């Protein structure tokens, strides 16, 4: 464990100019007390001019690169105070600048805590089962799909894989923000970055480390850490009029009083470190807060745009809905029992890998239904499957497949539903209706988006109008665009007038529209790599409510940044007026400006916390659903290229 002395030594090494400034002050103090009368002034003034030369060189380089900063006031402040003999004030300004950079670095490290924790926990080695079951420790990059990997208690799962152990618990808080342990059973997918519980587990790798979930998040984190928001450059531009005003006020005070010291006294309190420090600290704090809420924001610029979002466009399949079929109803024929019907269908379907079959089997297991033994199972592509159960032939699939003239008994599926029919000994026995389940948080999320300041919500889907309308009415979508191909979605987003537009999606077909939107947000937990790479932000947890969180964090971050800048400029302006009147000595002004800078940094760090208004917004209802009657617009007719289209109500997709 690192000792206190080691921590202090590391801090001093990080901030050499702070050390040099304090050392110069110490030497100057000794010379002031015991040396010749001019020696302290010479030592302090020489050091100040060295710092001016270093800062001036950096300032010139930034100007050549097209970036206007506010170092010019700092350079003028130090130079003027030395020239008028206020060398101790000059040293305090030097300490303010070097200390301000140190505070900024410290604040950024604090704000990055949630981001860097992912990088710090990145697994380096894995325990692979070799020949004879012997474990070998290998670099995580050598793991290939199909390898058996052992993960010891408390270790990070190195790659994505299927659980081979009977059951295990995992801490997925770094991936999803979920604080409670998550239980997985044999065959379940285990994501890299999860931490094992009290027992060792076996995992069959399904991906390499480079293509696993954790590494994808790490890459997003690295992009986020290297970003610099346009809003920060806006703060630099705010400094232009501030610099001009400070120089005019300082020159006027000098001209009216005839005292050159007034010029120096005004510039000492005009050093605009709040503009240099406050905005970057606020944005990094906002990104840290987003990461702690399971949202990786790729750049500070994204937060700035999120703060102004007026329209949210959403994909349907996999975003508003779960993107996987579930059993909605079991409708037995007269004289049949629903539980018996589901049990028979699941017994046949458990031998199939079709998505609809999986949903039926899952529903039977959830209800605790005992499945009878199925023999002689035969699956026919695009039709269905049949088997012998208890001496009877049971068929599951399309309507024409299950028995003679079953149409007079079958109940037609509703909007957004798929029908799977069951026949016993060539006689219709009932229907299982499946649908793509709407996310339980979808309705509340749409209401909360309106409460957070979003004026319009739009659904963009390749599905049919009837299905799109059905979903929109249940969740409260303002505007529905149905029957869209991927290129139609792009055009639809481009034509939306109330901007900025935030697009939320998860599939490969959403990648183009995520890229063209003002802000693209991918549902990363189950979304495609293409969508994740195209998006500006990624919801690591498969939770639609993170969209509201992202908007609120963006608004809070920008508000705090402006507040910090306003506080700094306001306090500096007051001090400048006092100094212009000759009532604030340069040395006292320098120390007061240091206090102003510290106050701005501390205020900017408030972006890591939610505001009081967010709690009220989170519980406030959205507009009544009667005000949000969805408007449905159709795109081109569905065809083979319609990636997002869900299956029609009847018949079911090919088996």
């Amino acid at each position: 464990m690192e000792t206190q002395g080691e921590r202090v030594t590391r801090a001093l090494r990080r901030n050499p100019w702070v050390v040099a400034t304090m050392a110069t002050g110490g030497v100057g103090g000794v010379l002031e007390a015991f040396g010749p009368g001019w020696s302290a002034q010479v030592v302090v003034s020489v050091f100040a001019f060295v710092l001016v030369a270093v800062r001036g060189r950096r300032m010139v380089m930034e100007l050549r690169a097209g970036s206007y900063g506010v170092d010019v006031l700092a350079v003028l402040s130090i130079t003027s105070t030395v020239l008028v003999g206020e060398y101790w004030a000059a040293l305090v300004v030097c300490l303010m600048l070097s200390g301000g950079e140190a505070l900024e670095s410290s604040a950024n490290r604090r704000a990055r805590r949630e981001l860097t924790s992912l990088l710090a926990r990145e697994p380096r080695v894995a325990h692979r089962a070799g020949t004879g079951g012997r474990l070998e420790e290998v670099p995580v990059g050598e793991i290939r799909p199909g390898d058996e990997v052992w993960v010891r208690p408390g270790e990070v799962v190195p790659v994505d894989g299927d659980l081979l152990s009977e059951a295990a618990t995992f801490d997925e808080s770094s991936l999803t923000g979920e604080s409670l342990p998550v239980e997985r059973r044999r065959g379940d997918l285990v994501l890299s970055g999860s931490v094992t519980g009290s027992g060792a587990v076996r995992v069959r790798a399904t991906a390499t480390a480079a293509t696993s979930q954790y590494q994808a998040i790490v890459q997003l984190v690295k992009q986020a850490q290297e970003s610099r928001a346009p809003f920060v450059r806006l703060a630099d531009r705010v400094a232009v009029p501030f610099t001009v005003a400070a120089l005019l006020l300082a020159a006027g005070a000098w001209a009216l009083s005839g005292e050159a010291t007034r010029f120096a006294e005004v510039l000492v309190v005009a050093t605009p470190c709040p503009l240099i420090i406050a905005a970057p600290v606020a944005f990094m704090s906002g990104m840290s807060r987003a990461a702690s809420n399971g949202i990786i924001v790729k750049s500070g610029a994204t937060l700035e745009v999120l703060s102004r979002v007026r329209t949210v466009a959403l994909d349907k399949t996999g975003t508003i809905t779960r993107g996987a079929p579930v059993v909605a109803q079991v409708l037995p024929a007269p004289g049949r029992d629903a539980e018996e019907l589901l049990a028979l269908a699941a017994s046949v379907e458990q031998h199939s890998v079709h998505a609809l079959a999986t949903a039926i089997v899952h529903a039977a297991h959830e209800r605790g239904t005992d499945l009878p033994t199925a023999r002689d199972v035969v699956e026919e592509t695009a039709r269905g499957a049949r088997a012998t159960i208890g001496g009877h032939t049971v068929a599951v699939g399309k309507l024409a497949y299950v028995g003679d003239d079953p149409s007079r008994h079958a109940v037609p599926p509703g909007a957004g539903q798929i029908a799977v029919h069951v026949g016993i000994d060539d006689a219709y026995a009932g229907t299982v209706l499946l649908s793509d389940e709407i996310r339980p948080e979808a309705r509340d999320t749409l209401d909360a988006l309106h409460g957070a300041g979003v004026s319009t919500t739009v659904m963009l889907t390749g599905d049919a109008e009837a299905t799109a309308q059905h979903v929109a009415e249940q969740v409260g979508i303002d505007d529905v665009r149905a029957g869209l191909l991927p290129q139609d979605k792009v055009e639809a987003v481009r034509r939306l007038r109330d901007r900025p537009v935030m697009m939320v999606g998860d599939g490969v077909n959403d990648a183009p529209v995520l890229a063209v939107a003002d802000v693209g947000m991918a549902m990363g937990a189950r979304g495609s790599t293409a969508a994740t790479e195209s998006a500006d932000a990624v919801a690591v947890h498969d939770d639609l409510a993170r969209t509201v969180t992202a908007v609120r964090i963006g608004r809070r971050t920008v508000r705090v940044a402006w507040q910090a800048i306003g506080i700094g400029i306001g306090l500096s302006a007051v001090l400048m007026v006092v100094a212009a009147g000759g009532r604030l000595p340069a040395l006292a002004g320098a120390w007061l400006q240091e206090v102003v800078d510290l106050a701005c940094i501390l205020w900017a760090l408030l972006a890591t916390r939610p505001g009081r208004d967010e709690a009220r917004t989170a519980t406030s209802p959205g507009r009544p659903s009667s005000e949000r009657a969805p408007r449905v617009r159709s795109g081109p007719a569905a065809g083979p290229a319609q990636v997002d289209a869900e299956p029609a109500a009847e018949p079911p997709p090919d088996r």
Side-chain angles (χ1 to χ4, degrees), residues 289 552-553 555-557 559-560 563 606-618:
R289 183 183 165 203
R552 288 174 178 162
I553 289 176
R555 297 189 191 281
R556 167 73 171 169
T557 300
R559 184 166 62 249
V560 168
Q563 289 170 348
L606 291 177
T608 59
R609 301 164 54 188
R612 285 178 293 181
D613 61 318
E614 291 185 47
R616 293 194 297 270
T617 304

Side-chain angles (χ1 to χ4, degrees), residues 84-124:
V84 299
E86 295 283 355
Y87 53 94
W88 284 115
L91 188 65
V92 173
V93 177
C94 292
L95 180 62
M96 176 179 61
L97 292 177
S98 57
E101 289 185 344
L103 285 172
E104 179 184 10
S105 176
S106 176
N108 281 343
R109 283 194 299 272
R110 172 182 171 180
R112 290 172 186 254
R113 191 172 300 157
E114 293 292 339
L115 297 176
T116 54
S117 63
L118 286 170
L119 297 175
R121 295 173 58 257
E122 182 178 1
R124 307 292 182 187

Side-chain angles (χ1 to χ4, degrees), residues 478-492:
D478 297 322
D479 188 1
V480 178
R481 314 291 177 92
L484 302 181
L485 300 176
Q487 57 268 33
D488 300 320
K489 292 185 179 182
V490 170
E491 190 61 28

Side-chain angles (χ1 to χ4, degrees), residues 537-549:
V538 177
V540 178
H541 188 38
D542 198 18
D543 180 6
L544 187 60
R546 303 299 163 111
T547 57
V548 185
T549 303

